[in-house]
Amino acid sequence: MKQTQTLNHPLDDLLRTDRIPHIWCPGCGIGTAFSACLIAMKESGINLAKTAMVSGIGCSGRGAGYVKLDSYHTTHGRAIPFATGLKLANPELNVVVFSGDGDLFAIGGNHFIHAARRNMDLTVVCVNNFNYGMTGGQAAATTPHLARTTTTPMGNPEMPFNLPLLAWASGATYVARWTILHARDLAESIEEALQRRGFSFIEVLSPCPVNYGRRNKMKPMDTLRIFKEKTLIKNNAQPTELGIDFERGIVLGKFVDEDKPSCGELYDKTCRPSLTQGTAA
Amino acid sequence: MEPAVLTGEHYMTGDEACAEGALAAGCRFFGGYPITPATEIAETMAARLPKVGGTFIQMEDEIAAMAAVVGASCGGVKSMTATSGPGFSLMMENLGLGICLETPCVVVNVQRAGPSTGLPTMAAQGDMMQARWGSHGHYEIIALSPSSAQEAFYQTILAFNLAEKYRTPVLIMTDEVVGHMSERVVIPEAKAIKIVERTRPRGRKDRYNPFEPGEFGVPPMASAGEGYNVHMTGLTHDERGYPDMSVECQEQMVNRLVGKIRNNLDDIIRTESHRLEDAEVVVVSYGVSTRTAYAAVEEARELGIKAGMLKLVTVWPFPERQIRELAGRVKGFVTVEINLGQIHLEVSRCAAGLAPALLVGHCGGTLISPEAVIEAVRRIV
Ligand code: SF4
């Protein structure tokens, strides 16, 4: 009889394996985005014992529950302010926010723009699946115009956010967008962001076949085909050109990468120069 | 570095005394948002915290302020925020997170008259039931209520000590008058101040469970970055912090959260009494209204009426047993509070069938006059 061999997954040491199977649906892209994030953390060489993940609520918000690091699954939309408190309390920590578009940009939109404005030292990974998956597929602040969701049964009358533009305009010092098909670029981007000081934002386009895809005539493979055929990598593209249009095409790449002092550094310099002089690296 | 404890005699407002109490208790993070009449707490913290090695941040709203405070506490730093009615309403969401994640922190509500924007610069005590039940779900809360600047100083230290000991948010329910009135405040030497720190985990890091109860039913708390791989969630969770959507887990978690307060009432509840020994009428009060109650009791005694005062230092958990015991031997109760009957409801409930309970209250904006209290006292005797 053939012996079955159990192979350990290379990310096992970063996973709460006792919590697997995860809740994500077959065909969902969140798992791919999540593993890209874990790969980036591993590859970056940052001290993982000093790394925390914070999530809000939603399908992507479950990320914090699966990572074997200090991890906090907080309230809806509040991952960023929670992470802000955590980071300011212990500036040694690398703090990664992993959450979805509904969480970060509708209910949490105000927190996002202010954290970006402050250049808070956080790495924010947003899985954008164009709708609220967890609650059954309602319209989000990212749902394309005319797309169908359970709360836009005649098509979405509203216009969506252009997330990289919003991040850039708010003051983020690192902004990139990838899809889950571009897992390598995505992991590299997150890795780079982890090494940057200040507010980094990475948008990951991801299929939600169960809710968004089903109502918009997109089978799992259709969404991936769009991600493959309708995307164009254009680093340093103008943020104003980054609106998502499934017909005309979607621009991916790294759009912003500036080195500016973070919120914590500016606080030290402005408010407690005498206390931090000796300790600054 | 400046001293964190401003030992000496001062003339300061209740808001400033509250901030100094926080610094003396070891608070090193304040996340806030300006609001009358609590702004001076934020202003004092903004000026003082960086000089004692702490961090102040003005957040974008009170939702964010409360979230940041819970986050900072998970990072291992004693943290606080201060607000008033409208901001207190916004904080309820993440106050619940703090309760569920068992995060020590202190929330000050310098009460003003509501509902809604109400009378921003005028005192009230209308948020007492919101303090008790304002966040969703069933939980227990600890709430203190100082009546002077000196008490604001000491009760803020007490609030931090209780928060750390019981791993829970603690509320300080002060009001516009206490917050803005300047009074003499004596700050003792640092070594004379008793400070409680949260229990830290011991033993193997990989065996640590963030919600496994220890002494007093309170789990030891590890901070982020210490290598414990802590997981916390606002979902119903087991001792490992893992979500468990079962009725059994819900029952176990909520019962323990409630139990760690209910099983330690003797340690938590603090009241002060004045002339209660032979009292026939008990005037129950808290916060600024105890000043009215005190004056009324003194005047009543001069009129030959045996009145006494029960002052609630901790309003929540409510001193049920004490009220019941008194109800068995006195002619009645008069509750004095600047609302139309909140703590009065509790007094009535506990005295029911044993003694009548009257309310002296109004809609807010001014203090209550001792005359109104004496009139009610007369109706009982
Ligand atoms: S509902 Fe959509 S986003 Fe949520 S797990 Fe399923 S496929 Fe993924």
Side-chain angles (χ1 to χ4, degrees):
Chain A
M1 215 170 73
K2 234 168 112 187
Q3 283 273 311
T4 47
Q5 208 188 343
T6 330
L7 283 178
N8 285 336
H9 189 275
L11 291 173
D12 267 1
D13 53 337
L14 267 182
L15 286 172
R16 295 185 189 271
T17 46
D18 50 350
R19 288 217 55 215
I20 308 293
H22 56 67
I23 63 152
W24 296 317
C25 308
C28 178
I30 298 172
T32 311
F34 185 63
S35 35
C37 190
L38 299 190
I39 290 168
M41 286 177 168
K42 256 186 126 155
E43 298 285 305
S44 69
I46 57 171
N47 182 355
L48 293 174
K50 299 264 180 226
T51 302
M53 186 181 275
V54 182
S55 292
I57 298 295
C59 295
S60 306
R62 291 303 182 98
Y66 301 126
V67 66
K68 203 156 98 194
L69 296 174
D70 292 317
S71 51
Y72 301 90
H73 178 227
T74 64
T75 38
H76 195 18
R78 320 303 173 207
I80 286 179
F82 181 100
T84 297
L86 192 66
K87 174 73 189 177
L88 291 174
N90 183 355
E92 277 185 14
L93 294 173
N94 307 295
V95 183
V96 178
V97 172
F98 187 92
S99 221
D101 51 301
D103 185 71
L104 289 167
F105 289 98
I107 189 165
N110 196 31
H111 309 310
F112 179 91
I113 59 173
H114 284 277
R117 170 182 65 77
R118 295 182 182 111
N119 204 23
M120 207 40 237
D121 203 356
L122 303 173
T123 303
V124 179
V125 179
C126 172
V127 180
N128 179 2
N129 56 23
F130 314 105
N131 79 139
Y132 287 83
M134 179 69 88
T135 44
Q138 293 75 36
T142 47
T143 303
H145 182 49
L146 301 179
R148 281 177 200 267
T149 70
T150 62
T151 48
T152 54
M154 282 78 85
N156 182 18
E158 299 179 14
M159 302 304 288
F161 271 135
N162 166 349
L163 298 182
L165 172 64
L166 181 66
W168 169 76
S170 308
T173 45
Y174 186 98
V175 181
R177 172 197 278 156
W178 299 102
T179 81
I180 58 136
L181 264 194
H182 302 77
R184 261 196 97 84
D185 300 284
L186 171 62
E188 279 167 20
S189 226
I190 299 174
E191 189 185 328
E192 201 169 54
L194 284 169
Q195 283 149 349
R196 296 286 186 275
R197 57 178 176 170
F199 191 87
S200 304
F201 172 62
I202 295 121
E203 176 183 16
V204 192
L205 305 183
S206 172
C208 167
V210 171
N211 282 310
Y212 186 80
R214 187 158 58 96
R215 294 193 179 86
N216 290 285
K217 301 197 185 71
M218 278 154 75
K219 296 214 167 62
M221 285 310 286
D222 297 337
T223 314
L224 294 182
R225 199 167 297 120
I226 292 173
F227 287 173
K228 182 161 178 256
E229 291 168 4
K230 295 278 185 183
T231 53
L232 170 74
I233 298 176
K234 198 174 157 196
N235 291 323
N236 302 315
Q238 276 297 315
T240 46
E241 293 168 12
L242 299 173
I244 288 177
D245 188 328
F246 287 125
E247 304 297 319
R248 296 224 310 267
I250 305 162
V251 179
L252 308 178
K254 177 169 81 174
F255 314 120
V256 181
D257 187 359
E258 289 175 90
D259 183 45
K260 284 188 183 165
S262 69
C263 178
E265 289 171 303
L266 291 173
Y267 186 76
D268 284 346
K269 202 170 153 207
T270 316
C271 304
R272 47 186 182 195
S274 58
L275 291 190
T276 43
Q277 244 164 25
T279 53
Chain B
M1 281 244 225
E2 268 185 11
V5 182
L6 288 189
T7 305
E9 239 186 275
H10 306 268
Y11 188 62
M12 56 172 67
T13 64
D15 278 353
E16 288 164 330
C18 174
E20 291 303 335
L23 294 169
C27 174
R28 292 296 177 270
F29 180 87
F30 186 99
Y33 188 83
I35 187 167
T36 305
T39 304
E40 293 83 354
I41 301 178
E43 288 171 343
T44 307
M45 292 304 254
R48 289 267 287 134
L49 265 175
K51 294 183 178 138
V52 301
T55 306
F56 168 89
I57 185 165
Q58 182 170 321
M59 297 298 288
E60 51 275 15
D61 56 30
E62 289 92 342
I63 298 172
M66 190 66 222
V69 161
V70 176
S73 185
C74 289
V77 172
K78 289 186 184 178
S79 58
M80 176 168 103
T81 187
T83 189
S84 189
F88 197 54
S89 294
L90 289 183
M91 286 179 183
M92 287 300 132
E93 176 194 47
N94 290 306
L95 177 72
L97 181 71
I99 288 159
C100 194
L101 267 46
E102 301 186 58
T103 325
C105 59
V106 172
V107 178
V108 187
N109 178 354
V110 188
Q111 295 173 86
R112 62 194 226 185
S116 192
T117 313
L119 301 173
T121 60
M122 295 157 96
Q125 295 178 305
D127 308 345
M128 300 310 296
M129 279 296 176
Q130 185 186 20
R132 178 63 190 89
W133 297 112
S135 198
H136 53 278
H138 202 111
Y139 59 91
E140 288 287 335
I141 195 87
I142 301 175
L144 305 166
S145 190
S147 69
S148 66
Q150 183 71 69
E151 282 183 13
F153 176 80
Y154 276 118
Q155 286 194 21
T156 306
I157 297 172
L158 174 62
F160 272 98
N161 287 349
L162 288 168
E164 293 287 316
K165 181 166 182 182
Y166 291 101
R167 231 188 113 171
T168 188
V170 172
L171 308 177
I172 301 177
M173 302 298 290
T174 160
D175 65 88
E176 189 276 334
V177 172
V178 170
H180 280 166
M181 182 171 47
S182 291
E183 293 182 291
R184 180 170 174 264
V185 175
V186 180
I187 299 183
E189 282 185 32
K191 60 176 189 298
I193 298 172
K194 186 177 163 256
I195 302 295
V196 176
E197 303 288 344
R198 63 192 72 171
T199 311
R200 301 280 181 180
R202 271 179 262 155
R204 280 179 55 173
K205 290 192 175 178
D206 57 343
R207 299 244 177 95
Y208 168 68
N209 288 319
F211 298 100
E212 189 183 315
E215 214 186 345
F216 316 113
V218 181
M221 185 169 177
S223 308
E226 293 180 337
Y228 286 92
N229 292 334
V230 171
H231 182 61
M232 294 193 179
T233 174
L235 286 166
T236 295
H237 50 262
D238 62 19
E239 293 184 347
R240 296 170 299 175
Y242 289 3
D244 179 345
M245 302 298 100
S246 71
V247 176
E248 294 73 31
C249 188
Q250 167 73 3
E251 195 170 313
Q252 202 181 16
M253 183 189 85
V254 175
N255 276 329
R256 192 180 59 71
L257 286 179
V258 166
K260 73 179 177 181
I261 307 295
R262 286 193 186 167
N263 299 332
N264 294 295
L265 294 179
D266 290 343
D267 182 51
I268 298 168
I269 292 178
R270 282 158 175 80
T271 60
E272 284 170 22
S273 44
H274 176 63
R275 302 190 120 173
L276 266 192
E277 306 73 30
D278 62 339
E280 292 179 342
V281 187
V282 183
V283 181
V284 181
S285 200
Y286 56 92
V288 74
S289 293
T290 56
R291 289 172 171 247
T292 303
Y294 183 88
V297 165
E298 290 301 288
E299 267 182 65
R301 286 278 175 173
E302 269 170 36
L303 296 170
I305 304 168
K306 286 185 175 168
M309 178 176 84
L310 181 71
K311 169 175 169 176
L312 312 179
V313 175
T314 47
V315 178
W316 305 116
F318 190 71
E320 290 193 28
R321 212 176 51 205
Q322 208 174 349
I323 297 285
R324 283 220 174 85
E325 277 165 16
L326 285 167
R329 67 171 169 90
V330 300
K331 287 189 182 158
F333 294 88
V334 175
T335 303
V336 186
E337 54 182 346
I338 310 175
N339 59 50
L340 296 182
Q342 295 193 12
I343 298 307
H344 165 64
L345 297 176
E346 287 294 273
V347 176
S348 308
R349 178 177 68 80
C350 298
L354 297 169
L358 300 179
L359 165 74
V360 178
H362 63 60
C363 303
T366 61
L367 301 187
I368 294 166
S369 73
E371 290 70 39
V373 181
I374 291 168
E375 208 182 295
V377 167
R378 279 186 195 280
R379 274 166 57 203
I380 285 179
V381 287

